[in-house]
Amino acid sequence: MTIRHHPGDEFLLAHASGAGSETVSLIVGTHLALCPPCRVKVASMEQMGGALLAGIAPAEMSASALSSAMAKLDDIAADKPAQSSDPLPPVIAPEPLRSYIHGDIDRVRWIPIGPGVSYRPLLKRRDARVQLIRTAPGAGVGTHTHRGEELTLVLTGGFTDVTGSYRRGDLQTTTPEIVHRPVTDADGYCVTLAMTDAPLKFMSPIVGVLGKLFGF
Amino acid sequence: MTKTDSPPPARLNDLVVLIAQSRDARAFELLFGHFAPRIKGYLIRLGTSGAVAEDLAQETMLAVWRKAALFDPARASASTWIFTVARNLRIDLLRHERRPDFDPNDPAFVPGQEPAADALMMRDDEDANLRIALAKLSPEQAEIVQMSFFADKPHSAIAAELGLPLGTVKSRLRLAMVRIRAALGTLP
Ligand SMILES: [Zn+2]
């Protein structure tokens, strides 16, 4: 598996710095599980965080802070490094996504919303939503554009639009300038993890599917 | 900015390892003296009030005590690791959100190259190179990097605040990352 489409540095940094919301980290963190090169980038970004922390102007702690912390130490049990457990059968949804589904993709109760399209909402924070979307071979969600940015991570199968082909691990970022009509590849169902931070705009009235997907 | 009596970086790593190995309270005291005021300063930069920043700095240091066995000096310096502990606690306790992240023990995890055996020796050099590279960024790049860590906003909001197109913010960030990664030797 070679991943060809990665999140932009701004999303990796949002994850590394902690500025990104849970929605961004769910999709970026799931991509990272599948993408060693992006993990190297994020490690460099966390190292930047460490350097900034090391160089920051210290703010004096109150006189009792250390002693009150020291008084608690004996009551704190140490965490142990996680042991690799027995290998599980191959899974499609890596952590952190699997915790949000409470299992693998086969556990998802899909909600049909149009011909060949179903979805399952996972997370909503302020304006951003994350959902799983499942499309049948040849099916699509229609022509649309975005008011904000949309991130779409392929978990299984693939889809193709004017910007290219996307397979497992590939992450597509769409912006308001992009009008696209993703169509599912012919080789099977495609499951994606998608985040939108603003409602989508429809280019044609036949696409009621998207209205249901994104809540209007 | 760093006080002259602060332990050198390698010593800071050793202090975390001492806590992991023998729950060394003296090591905790030294780490606390170095990091707690910096974590508090970091949180205040993020807009947290002094009282809350103090509590969270203390909680972070207690989490360091609890999680010390998870620290791997071959993967990160003490500063970097403690930064991630503080970051995650802030998300948990102040933002009340989960912190979704990958799990290297997960069966679907795609492994990459593990850090080399001599990585431990190189980490401290890397941190020194990184500080130099950060200091050498252009003022425009440095501003975006600083805001990415301290403004607690998405890049669209940073762009709006600076009155710049989002594309400009992204390209400044991209250029900054190329220079940082060159200094760290992590460019592909
Ligand atoms: Zn990637």
Side-chain angles (χ1 to χ4, degrees):
Chain A
M1 175 180 67
T2 305
I3 295 176
R4 284 172 304 161
H5 303 277
H6 304 270
D9 287 351
E10 68 277 14
F11 290 106
L12 296 176
L13 189 56
H15 180 73
S17 72
S21 75
E22 186 176 349
T23 51
V24 169
S25 279
L26 174 54
I27 198 156
V28 170
T30 303
H31 175 80
L32 292 178
L34 304 175
C35 188
C38 281
R39 288 203 301 273
V40 172
K41 262 195 188 181
V42 166
S44 295
M45 290 166 171
E46 288 177 338
Q47 214 170 338
M48 288 162 71
L52 292 170
L53 179 65
I56 206 162
E60 198 175 342
M61 297 287 283
S62 65
S64 62
L66 175 61
S67 56
S68 77
M70 299 283 288
K72 293 175 183 162
L73 296 185
D74 283 345
D75 296 329
I76 296 174
D79 286 358
K80 295 197 176 60
Q83 303 291 323
S84 338
S85 44
D86 293 334
L88 295 171
V91 284
I92 289 171
E95 290 293 354
L97 173 60
R98 199 162 61 249
S99 292
Y100 284 78
I101 306 177
H102 307 293
D104 205 359
I105 294 292
D106 56 3
R107 287 286 303 272
V108 175
R109 285 177 297 121
W110 297 102
I111 304 168
I113 41 167
V117 184
S118 48
Y119 86 123
R120 164 58 56 181
L122 287 183
L123 182 66
K124 185 174 186 302
R125 291 278 181 269
R126 296 183 288 277
D127 284 346
R129 299 153 189 261
V130 180
Q131 47 226 320
L132 287 164
I133 300 170
R134 190 176 77 143
T135 51
V141 292
T143 305
H144 64 282
T145 182
H146 310 262
R147 259 167 256 175
E149 287 184 302
E150 183 186 77
L151 301 181
T152 303
L153 174 67
V154 178
L155 297 166
T156 185
F159 70 86
T160 300
D161 68 10
V162 286
T163 66
S165 249
Y166 298 82
R167 305 290 299 181
R168 176 167 170 83
D170 281 327
L171 189 144
Q172 182 184 46
T173 306
T174 46
T175 60
E177 302 86 59
I178 294 175
V179 179
H180 67 150
R181 180 174 178 276
V183 173
T184 309
D185 294 348
D187 61 346
Y189 274 91
C190 175
V191 177
T192 61
L193 181 67
M195 187 203 89
T196 46
D197 65 356
L200 295 95
K201 280 191 278 192
F202 308 111
M203 307 306 285
S204 104
I206 57 166
V207 197
V209 167
L210 278 173
K212 290 181 205 157
L213 260 184
F214 296 103
F216 35 40
Chain B
M1 274 192 284
T2 308
K3 279 193 268 175
T4 48
D5 59 352
S6 285
R11 177 76 181 128
L12 294 170
N13 296 356
D14 294 343
L15 292 173
V16 183
V17 172
L18 275 174
I19 292 175
Q21 288 172 346
S22 54
R23 297 185 45 95
D24 185 323
R26 173 66 187 152
F28 179 82
E29 201 176 335
L30 291 169
L31 266 187
F32 190 101
H34 180 80
F35 279 110
R38 286 172 171 78
I39 298 163
K40 185 176 175 182
Y42 157 68
L43 293 165
I44 289 173
R45 279 286 298 276
L46 276 160
T48 312
S49 74
V52 173
E54 166 126 353
D55 282 351
L56 203 51
Q58 185 161 356
E59 288 301 324
T60 301
M61 293 312 299
L62 292 173
V64 166
W65 175 260
R66 180 160 53 82
K67 293 171 181 287
L70 311 184
F71 171 64
D72 179 356
R75 286 184 177 274
S77 67
S79 294
T80 296
W81 182 68
I82 291 175
F83 162 75
T84 64
V85 173
R87 172 197 69 193
N88 294 357
L89 264 186
R90 189 177 78 87
I91 290 169
D92 179 10
L93 298 178
L94 296 190
R95 213 194 279 157
H96 307 293
E97 287 189 354
R98 283 161 77 177
R99 163 76 188 175
D101 218 334
F102 62 86
D103 171 4
N105 293 313
D106 185 80
F109 181 81
V110 176
Q113 282 189 324
E114 294 305 303
D118 59 353
L120 184 53
M121 308 285 293
M122 294 171 58
R123 284 288 163 201
D124 296 325
D125 292 347
E126 274 178 27
D127 277 2
N129 292 343
L130 174 59
R131 277 193 295 277
I132 293 166
L134 281 169
K136 278 190 183 164
L137 292 178
S138 72
E140 292 81 15
Q141 290 167 2
E143 181 177 47
I144 301 295
V145 167
Q146 292 275 335
M147 289 182 80
S148 299
F149 279 92
F150 297 124
D152 203 22
K153 301 182 167 153
H155 284 82
S156 52
I158 290 176
E161 188 174 323
L162 296 175
L164 294 170
L166 183 57
T168 306
V169 169
K170 288 184 189 182
S171 66
R172 284 181 187 174
L173 180 62
R174 194 160 50 239
L175 291 169
M177 283 312 302
V178 167
R179 297 179 67 167
I180 299 290
R181 297 185 74 199
L184 292 173
T186 62
L187 281 177

